[in-house]
Amino acid sequence: MVHHYDIIIVGGGAAGFFTAINIAEKHPKLKIAILERGKEVLEKVRISGGGRCNVTHACFLPNELAKFYPRGEKELRGPFHQFASGDTIEWFDKHGVELKIEEDGRMFPVTDSSQTIIDCFLNATKKLGIEVHKSQSVQSIFKSEKAWKIDTQHDNYSCDKLVLATGSNPKMWDLLQNFGHAIVSPVPSLFTFNIKDPRIEDLPGVSALVTVKVKDSKLKTTGPLLVTHWGMSGPAILKLSAWGARELFDRKYQFSIVVNWLNDYNATEVEEQLREIKREQPKKTVPKKSPFELPNRLWESLTSAAGIGSETKWADLSKAQLQKLALELTQATFQVNGKSTFKEEFVTAGGIDLKEINFKTMESKLHPNLYFAGEIVNIDAITGGFNFQNAWTSSYLLAQSIVDAVG
């Protein structure tokens, strides 16, 4: 027996549910089903943001918002003018979920629980009569003249319009390649750097505002860096990993980074400042207290790396030591040997080639009535609620275009 629907959405995650709800609210008579391969829906929503669900980011200008996407910046500008962070806040507010802004701009439900978002979606689908079918792993997709046919390991389905919101699922990408879609091969994005170095081995938890660049590359970023037990993390490193996802993959995650612990000062300027401190505080012990906005533990480690003893006074510093310290502060080179996943964020760079999608409707340019939402396409963002915002925006546009098409 074949179960027929007007619209079938494959993928019971954030994008799948948001698409279904927005279609059903605008066109209640359409018969809609969500097919989810797992035993539960919205699992990624559940664990995101440490179980709090980082819904979006308080960046309200579409063109600025687009800059947080290493892949998709150009394509998302138009969509963000239709539905951006402010619209997300309004949408959730209308659905009984109040959001709050944290200091770094990330936005969460005021309840600090991802369950609030899950309940909002589940209640909406129930109220709107959207069917949710779990444990339905798609095995094949077939296109006939009038409909799409979808076979799972249990059932057979057909629909007029098919929406794929399956995230970074290689099996679905393989199926799409059979339909002539080009897939940009997936590589990890948003990862931390594995570094073994005596300068940082006793400093887990220490952070500083830095500029960091990859040696022999154009990759460069500024932001907070966090020293961890296995190396380096924090926004500066994560941004670098996102923008450098493909290049660092090609280097097999073996490369050097240059860290400027003083952010925008260069070695010459710092050497001059160090000489001034030497003149003004000759009797003070060098490693004892950082004269810059650096944690004292880090300062102590860097002075040691510059060959300065623990009891050395400023007056006793040689010209060579001052130069070496200035370089340690502004051009410290670290060897990266591998990567680690950032928390539970499995973000992938890769997916359906963006040239094959109409970004006004999220419809495939190759096959009418086939649509894409969320991370199945080659769009990804840095951490901070941006990947969810892409899901909401693409889903909303897609829903609107289907409603307009159905009339």
Side-chain angles (χ1 to χ4, degrees):
M1 182 188 162
V2 177
H3 308 279
H4 184 78
Y5 294 86
D6 296 307
I7 294 140
I8 284 179
I9 295 154
V10 182
F17 270 80
F18 206 71
T19 300
I21 293 164
N22 279 289
I23 295 171
E25 284 181 341
K26 293 186 177 88
H27 206 311
K29 289 181 180 164
L30 291 173
K31 199 178 173 195
I32 304 168
I34 295 172
L35 306 184
E36 164 57 38
R37 65 176 170 163
K39 290 194 177 103
E40 292 301 328
V41 291
L42 300 163
E43 280 302 284
K44 207 168 173 187
V45 171
R46 188 182 304 283
I47 60 169
S48 77
R52 296 197 298 144
C53 189
N54 184 183
V55 176
T56 186
H57 200 95
C59 175
F60 301 112
L61 300 170
N63 289 353
E64 288 304 306
L65 183 59
K67 287 178 184 167
F68 291 95
Y69 297 80
R71 283 145 293 272
E73 178 183 347
K74 183 166 62 80
E75 289 79 8
L76 285 172
R77 279 186 213 136
F80 282 156
H81 278 88
Q82 304 296 316
F83 193 92
S85 308
D87 304 293
T88 299
I89 297 164
E90 194 182 334
W91 191 95
F92 278 102
D93 189 49
K94 274 185 187 161
H95 291 78
V97 178
E98 194 186 339
L99 302 179
K100 60 173 179 176
I101 304 174
E102 302 210 332
E103 267 182 42
D104 57 6
R106 292 182 305 159
M107 297 195 71
F108 295 89
V110 291
T111 57
D112 273 332
S113 170
S114 57
Q115 194 60 45
T116 306
I117 305 298
I118 293 168
D119 291 344
C120 166
F121 286 170
L122 293 179
N123 292 339
T125 48
K126 200 172 176 185
K127 192 174 105 188
L128 294 160
I130 296 161
E131 293 180 29
V132 180
H133 300 243
K134 300 173 193 172
S135 300
Q136 297 287 349
S137 176
V138 171
Q139 304 300 307
S140 65
I141 295 172
F142 177 74
K143 185 188 182 188
S144 70
E145 271 182 47
K146 291 184 179 173
W148 290 92
K149 291 192 167 48
I150 303 107
D151 295 335
T152 71
Q153 81 276 42
H154 298 306
D155 294 294
N156 309 107
Y157 296 88
S158 70
C159 61
D160 302 326
K161 293 183 182 295
L162 176 61
V163 179
L164 298 182
T166 47
S168 303
N169 181 344
K171 189 172 165 190
M172 293 309 294
W173 285 332
D174 288 347
L175 284 177
L176 280 167
Q177 279 183 310
N178 297 337
F179 281 94
H181 267 292
I183 304 299
V184 178
S185 61
V187 298
S189 180
L190 283 192
F191 48 83
T192 61
F193 295 175
N194 296 350
I195 298 168
K196 276 195 162 48
D197 192 290
R199 288 169 291 178
I200 60 167
E201 68 185 351
D202 296 325
L203 301 179
V206 165
S207 71
L209 184 65
V210 306
T211 296
V212 56
K213 58 185 180 184
V214 174
K215 217 170 179 180
D216 307 319
S217 164
K218 288 179 181 168
L219 293 169
K220 181 181 178 181
T221 185
T222 297
L225 180 150
L226 174 70
V227 178
T228 66
H229 289 286
W230 60 88
M232 291 180 183
S233 183
I237 297 298
L238 294 169
K239 269 196 277 185
L240 211 55
S241 79
W243 260 270
R246 207 153 285 284
E247 186 181 326
L248 301 180
F249 171 82
D250 291 341
R251 293 190 185 202
K252 298 184 171 61
Y253 308 109
Q254 307 288 324
F255 54 94
S256 295
I257 56 169
V258 179
V259 178
N260 183 339
W261 296 105
L262 301 179
N263 194 3
D264 46 8
Y265 286 104
N266 64 37
T268 311
E269 292 168 332
V270 170
E271 199 181 325
E272 189 49 54
Q273 283 178 294
L274 292 172
R275 280 204 202 96
E276 207 171 302
I277 297 163
K278 181 179 172 175
R279 283 194 296 273
E280 289 174 2
Q281 306 177 3
K283 291 181 179 167
K284 290 200 170 170
T285 310
V286 180
K288 210 152 206 175
K289 191 171 190 309
S290 168
F292 301 100
E293 282 186 33
L294 278 183
N296 287 330
R297 283 166 62 206
L298 176 60
W299 167 255
E300 194 182 337
S301 176
L302 295 175
T303 56
S304 172
I308 298 165
S310 59
E311 298 303 320
T312 308
K313 302 279 190 286
W314 278 97
D316 301 329
L317 283 185
S318 67
K319 188 183 176 186
Q321 283 174 313
L322 281 172
Q323 284 174 336
K324 181 86 169 71
L325 182 54
L327 289 173
E328 278 297 340
L329 287 162
T330 59
Q331 295 174 33
T333 302
F334 294 89
Q335 179 60 40
V336 177
N337 182 14
K339 62 171 182 61
S340 295
T341 301
F342 174 62
K343 294 185 179 171
E344 69 289 325
E345 301 231 16
F346 292 95
V347 175
T348 304
I352 300 161
D353 195 315
L354 303 182
K355 294 194 287 289
E356 299 177 351
I357 300 158
N358 177 347
F359 274 88
K360 287 188 172 70
T361 60
M362 300 311 293
E363 189 174 16
S364 162
K365 286 181 180 176
L366 308 189
H367 301 283
N369 300 318
L370 175 63
Y371 298 82
F372 307 115
E375 286 180 39
I376 188 171
V377 306
N378 184 28
I379 287 179
D380 62 282
I382 63 169
T383 185
F386 301 105
N387 283 301
F388 271 133
Q389 185 55 52
N390 169 44
W392 314 138
T393 297
S394 55
S395 303
Y396 186 86
L397 256 70
L398 194 163
Q400 189 61 56
S401 67
I402 283 183
V403 169
D404 291 345
V406 173

